[in-house]
Amino acid sequence: MESQQRKTNVFMFPWLAHGHISPFLELAKTLSKRNFNIYLCSTRVNLSCIEKKVAEKYSHSITLVEIKVPTLPGLPQNYHTTKNLPSHLMPTLKTAFDRSANNLSKLLKTFKPDLLIYDTIQPWAPVIASKHDIPAVAFVATSATMTSFMLHRYKYPGTEFPFKDIYLNDHEDGNLVHLIQSSENHYKGKNRFFECLKRSSGMILIKSLNEIEGKYIDHLSLLAKKKIVPVGPLVETTTTTTILEDEHSHIIEWLDKKGFGSTVFVSFGSEYFLSKEEMEEMAHGLELSGVNFIWVVRFPVGEKTSVEEAMPKGFLKRVGEKGLIIQGWAPQVQILEHPSIGGFVSHCGWSSVMEGIKYCIPIITVPMHLDQPVNARLLTEIGVGVEVKRDGSGKLVREEVARVVKEVVVDKGGDFVRKRERQLSEKARMREEERMDGVVEELLQLCRKRKNIIRPQINGLLIPKVVEMTPNAVLSMTKSK
């Protein structure tokens, strides 16, 4: 019986960002239902945000493990997270994270997991795991499209990406070059992200679906020279009833008064803050569209700005009951589930993309930076998104915002998008069990090899190739040390 079999112990180690911790947690939930024990490791400030979610249903199979990250000048413990972190402190956070390597080693020695699943910021994690004879696999929480696009640029600079539907506009291209070359993204002179892929043990897990990104998953496998294993959308499952009793119940009550598919949900993620100009153009665009909207507005910590001050003069009064503005955090999944939502104005962060597709909400794409422009082009290519085009200098234009919102919601342009999303979601659901069976088998095979392999190092670096050796050879090498 499976219940009588020894469980496989997996240590998960995401980067200190909610957009990374969330998919790791969803993967942990999925694996915990399939005879895995999970140790999910992060800083105290990040763990405090997910403790309740774990305690409700998964306390028997998911253990939260705190890692101590050094306190550096300007970076107290409450800043050991990217959430609300001032941008100038991001390099400091990465430096502090790098200096927690010894603490990771102590944790691996204590918990003795069968496998480490690590993120793409810490190339030192698989090296440490190898010293404890623990196989380590990278988990990529961004799209295969963006990952292959970046890796292609990195390996073959100046050459065209082989898929013409994926491109960057002139005002976006410099951002990608900066992302690849930025000193923030380097560790000991090497690109963090690509080193993490390189050091993964034979395969790379990715938050994706073959139904959405099949050809880009294949291309990434060729570029990385590893098997790419998609683990699914990893979207949090919940119901609107879970928030009716808390401080956000007024949101559902407001939505209940709106007609079917009549409202757009507007959110740009937890780590991007609109400039004053972008805020004004978005506000005027929503007003011009005449469509109902829920807009989640965020400001950097320490910035003493109110919603009233940030919006155009008289905007709140003019839109009245047609608009609901929420400052800070909103229950995104529950909002997207509501039948009144007919469009999702999104920055195209990958988790938001997956949520939009799962709940069959047409995505009105307004990419801002990082992977978002590439994700937006993918959505256009597969027919589940409509992009708000910027002007030649890369600025948002209110008339274009209004035009696309009206096209999707008022003129029923979103009907085709919704149909396409339903097709993709249905295909993904039909293969969900088969896909996860494959993921589990890949992980278990890697763990089984652990007892009879030596994973060599050269100058302290993990060599991904597995070298099979007899038990006597292993014993001989151990004694020689």
Side-chain angles (χ1 to χ4, degrees):
M1 296 287 291
E2 184 181 39
S3 60
Q4 296 174 327
Q5 295 175 354
R6 175 189 175 275
K7 288 194 173 185
T8 302
N9 297 313
V10 177
F11 197 95
M12 290 191 172
F13 191 42
W15 165 234
L16 307 178
H18 176 74
H20 288 239
I21 294 168
S22 179
F24 268 78
L25 177 58
E26 293 307 313
L27 180 58
K29 290 177 183 178
T30 302
L31 291 178
S32 71
K33 298 173 183 176
R34 291 172 173 265
N35 215 37
F36 285 78
N37 274 326
I38 309 296
Y39 302 106
L40 181 58
C41 180
S42 192
T43 54
R44 169 48 40 194
V45 64
N46 284 317
L47 295 179
S48 65
C49 297
I50 62 173
E51 282 175 332
K52 186 177 179 181
K53 292 180 180 180
V54 172
E56 286 175 351
K57 292 184 179 180
Y58 299 94
S59 58
H60 64 289
S61 55
I62 300 176
T63 301
L64 300 183
V65 177
E66 180 181 357
I67 188 168
K68 299 292 185 182
V69 171
T71 298
L72 300 182
L75 195 76
Q77 283 194 349
N78 62 306
Y79 272 178
H80 289 168
T81 176
T82 63
K83 185 177 181 180
N84 299 324
L85 183 73
S87 58
H88 72 276
L89 286 177
M90 188 64 75
T92 309
L93 180 62
K94 288 185 178 178
T95 298
F97 193 47
D98 293 341
R99 293 182 184 178
S100 67
N102 285 338
N103 292 333
L104 173 64
S105 183
K106 292 175 184 176
L107 291 171
L108 293 180
K109 185 176 181 180
T110 298
F111 290 98
K112 297 179 174 59
D114 300 299
L115 174 70
L116 171 69
I117 298 179
Y118 65 97
D119 212 330
T120 52
I121 296 292
Q122 56 269 43
W124 38 268
V127 176
I128 291 169
S130 73
K131 293 176 180 178
H132 294 278
D133 276 336
I134 299 170
V137 175
F139 174 37
V140 179
T142 54
S143 68
T145 309
M146 178 59 178
T147 307
S148 61
F149 190 84
M150 284 181 61
L151 190 51
H152 180 93
R153 281 285 190 95
Y154 183 69
K155 295 184 74 168
Y156 310 111
T159 64
E160 290 290 325
F161 190 60
F163 304 98
K164 63 181 178 61
D165 290 315
I166 305 301
Y167 62 90
L168 293 177
N169 294 312
D170 290 342
H171 65 270
E172 298 164 335
D173 198 56
N175 178 54
L176 180 67
V177 172
H178 175 74
L179 181 63
I180 294 175
Q181 297 179 347
S182 170
S183 60
E184 289 183 27
N185 204 41
H186 281 67
Y187 175 75
K188 294 186 177 180
K190 296 186 177 181
N191 185 287
R192 291 174 179 271
F193 186 86
F194 301 128
E195 282 299 303
C196 285
L197 300 186
K198 182 179 178 182
R199 297 177 185 186
S200 188
S201 298
M203 64 177 169
I204 296 167
L205 303 178
I206 194 161
K207 176 179 172 171
S208 187
L209 293 163
N210 277 310
E211 292 80 5
I212 294 174
E213 294 192 283
K215 65 183 180 183
Y216 300 109
I217 290 171
D218 292 342
H219 188 60
L220 177 58
S221 182
L222 290 173
L223 291 171
K225 298 180 181 178
K226 295 182 188 292
K227 185 171 186 177
I228 308 300
V229 180
V231 297
L234 300 180
V235 173
E236 182 179 7
T237 55
T238 185
T239 60
T240 52
T241 56
T242 60
I243 68 165
L244 291 178
E245 298 176 357
D246 68 17
E247 61 184 299
H248 300 287
S249 60
H250 70 286
I251 298 172
I252 301 303
E253 292 170 2
W254 185 87
L255 279 170
D256 286 342
K257 300 173 184 176
K258 307 303 176 185
F260 177 83
S262 66
T263 305
V264 290
F265 175 55
V266 185
S267 177
F268 296 94
S270 59
E271 295 178 20
Y272 184 83
F273 306 104
L274 297 180
S275 66
K276 185 169 180 58
E277 182 181 26
E278 288 171 334
M279 189 91 69
E280 289 186 353
E281 291 302 309
M282 182 56 59
H284 284 300
L286 291 171
E287 183 180 358
L288 285 170
S289 74
V291 169
N292 303 322
F293 64 88
I294 294 181
W295 184 2
V296 182
V297 175
R298 297 179 177 89
F299 304 107
V301 170
E303 185 175 300
K304 297 181 179 179
T305 304
S306 66
V307 170
E308 291 77 9
E309 292 171 331
M311 295 296 161
K313 187 176 180 179
F315 171 75
L316 296 177
K317 185 176 181 180
R318 291 194 302 272
V319 297
E321 276 297 304
K322 292 188 76 68
L324 176 63
I325 294 182
I326 303 159
Q327 186 172 344
W329 182 86
Q332 180 162 302
V333 170
Q334 291 94 331
I335 291 172
L336 291 174
E337 283 183 310
H338 199 282
S340 293
I341 297 297
F344 181 13
V345 179
S346 173
H347 64 314
C348 296
W350 193 234
S351 289
S352 290
V353 165
M354 288 296 192
E355 289 170 359
I357 292 174
K358 176 173 181 177
Y359 295 111
C360 300
I361 304 299
I363 302 173
I364 298 164
T365 68
V366 188
M368 294 297 176
H369 65 162
L370 302 176
D371 59 330
Q372 298 156 19
V374 167
N375 293 342
R377 308 291 130 73
L378 171 68
L379 296 183
T380 300
E381 180 192 1
I382 64 176
V384 301
V386 182
E387 186 169 353
V388 174
K389 302 291 186 181
R390 295 171 182 261
D391 68 12
S393 61
K395 293 181 179 179
L396 275 180
V397 180
R398 63 190 68 178
E399 289 82 6
E400 174 69 359
V401 172
R403 184 191 69 78
V404 177
V405 169
K406 287 174 67 177
E407 175 189 332
V408 170
V409 180
V410 179
D411 301 334
K412 302 302 180 184
D415 288 351
F416 170 80
V417 176
R418 212 174 276 109
K419 180 180 178 181
R420 176 65 176 148
E421 286 178 318
R422 279 196 295 267
Q423 292 171 343
L424 289 173
S425 293
E426 184 59 31
K427 284 183 180 179
R429 274 196 298 272
M430 288 174 62
R431 295 193 58 195
E432 184 174 356
E433 290 299 314
E434 176 189 347
R435 179 175 59 251
M436 284 314 303
D437 285 345
V439 172
V440 167
E441 185 55 33
E442 292 284 354
L443 297 179
L444 290 178
Q445 281 188 23
L446 192 57
C447 293
R448 291 185 195 115
K449 291 180 180 180
R450 180 186 178 193
K451 294 180 181 178
N452 296 316
I453 64 173
I454 291 294
R455 291 151 50 77
Q457 299 174 50
I458 297 177
N459 295 327
L461 296 182
L462 174 67
I463 306 302
K465 184 179 179 181
V466 174
V467 181
E468 302 255 355
M469 302 192 74
T470 65
N472 287 337
V474 174
L475 182 60
S476 176
M477 289 188 69
T478 303
K479 287 180 177 179
S480 68
K481 292 182 180 179

PDB file of all heavy atoms in Angstrom, residues 38 186 254 322:
ATOM      1  N   ILE A  38       7.190  17.608   2.669  1.00  0.00           N
ATOM      2  CA  ILE A  38       7.818  18.813   2.156  1.00  0.00           C
ATOM      3  C   ILE A  38       8.334  19.681   3.301  1.00  0.00           C
ATOM      4  O   ILE A  38       7.614  19.941   4.269  1.00  0.00           O
ATOM      5  CB  ILE A  38       6.826  19.640   1.304  1.00  0.00           C
ATOM      6  CG1 ILE A  38       6.151  18.776   0.225  1.00  0.00           C
ATOM      7  CG2 ILE A  38       7.550  20.840   0.689  1.00  0.00           C
ATOM      8  CD1 ILE A  38       7.083  18.221  -0.816  1.00  0.00           C
ATOM      9  N   HIS A 186      24.097  38.753 -11.127  1.00  0.00           N
ATOM     10  CA  HIS A 186      25.311  37.959 -11.223  1.00  0.00           C
ATOM     11  C   HIS A 186      25.790  37.491  -9.852  1.00  0.00           C
ATOM     12  O   HIS A 186      25.534  38.127  -8.840  1.00  0.00           O
ATOM     13  CB  HIS A 186      26.415  38.755 -11.933  1.00  0.00           C
ATOM     14  CG  HIS A 186      26.255  38.761 -13.416  1.00  0.00           C
ATOM     15  ND1 HIS A 186      25.201  39.399 -14.027  1.00  0.00           N
ATOM     16  CD2 HIS A 186      26.991  38.194 -14.414  1.00  0.00           C
ATOM     17  CE1 HIS A 186      25.308  39.237 -15.347  1.00  0.00           C
ATOM     18  NE2 HIS A 186      26.382  38.516 -15.599  1.00  0.00           N
ATOM     19  N   TRP A 254     -20.115  43.966  -3.750  1.00  0.00           N
ATOM     20  CA  TRP A 254     -20.127  44.963  -4.839  1.00  0.00           C
ATOM     21  C   TRP A 254     -20.262  44.257  -6.187  1.00  0.00           C
ATOM     22  O   TRP A 254     -21.045  44.667  -7.046  1.00  0.00           O
ATOM     23  CB  TRP A 254     -18.838  45.787  -4.773  1.00  0.00           C
ATOM     24  CG  TRP A 254     -18.750  46.924  -5.760  1.00  0.00           C
ATOM     25  CD1 TRP A 254     -19.213  48.200  -5.599  1.00  0.00           C
ATOM     26  CD2 TRP A 254     -18.145  46.875  -7.063  1.00  0.00           C
ATOM     27  NE1 TRP A 254     -18.927  48.945  -6.714  1.00  0.00           N
ATOM     28  CE2 TRP A 254     -18.275  48.166  -7.634  1.00  0.00           C
ATOM     29  CE3 TRP A 254     -17.506  45.878  -7.786  1.00  0.00           C
ATOM     30  CZ2 TRP A 254     -17.782  48.477  -8.894  1.00  0.00           C
ATOM     31  CZ3 TRP A 254     -17.025  46.184  -9.062  1.00  0.00           C
ATOM     32  CH2 TRP A 254     -17.162  47.468  -9.599  1.00  0.00           C
ATOM     33  N   LYS A 322     -19.442  52.838 -10.528  1.00  0.00           N
ATOM     34  CA  LYS A 322     -18.896  52.023 -11.619  1.00  0.00           C
ATOM     35  C   LYS A 322     -17.498  51.518 -11.298  1.00  0.00           C
ATOM     36  O   LYS A 322     -16.998  50.598 -11.956  1.00  0.00           O
ATOM     37  CB  LYS A 322     -18.859  52.832 -12.927  1.00  0.00           C
ATOM     38  CG  LYS A 322     -20.231  53.165 -13.485  1.00  0.00           C
ATOM     39  CD  LYS A 322     -20.132  53.793 -14.856  1.00  0.00           C
ATOM     40  CE  LYS A 322     -19.826  52.761 -15.916  1.00  0.00           C
ATOM     41  NZ  LYS A 322     -20.935  51.812 -16.128  1.00  0.00           N
TER      42      LYS A 322
END
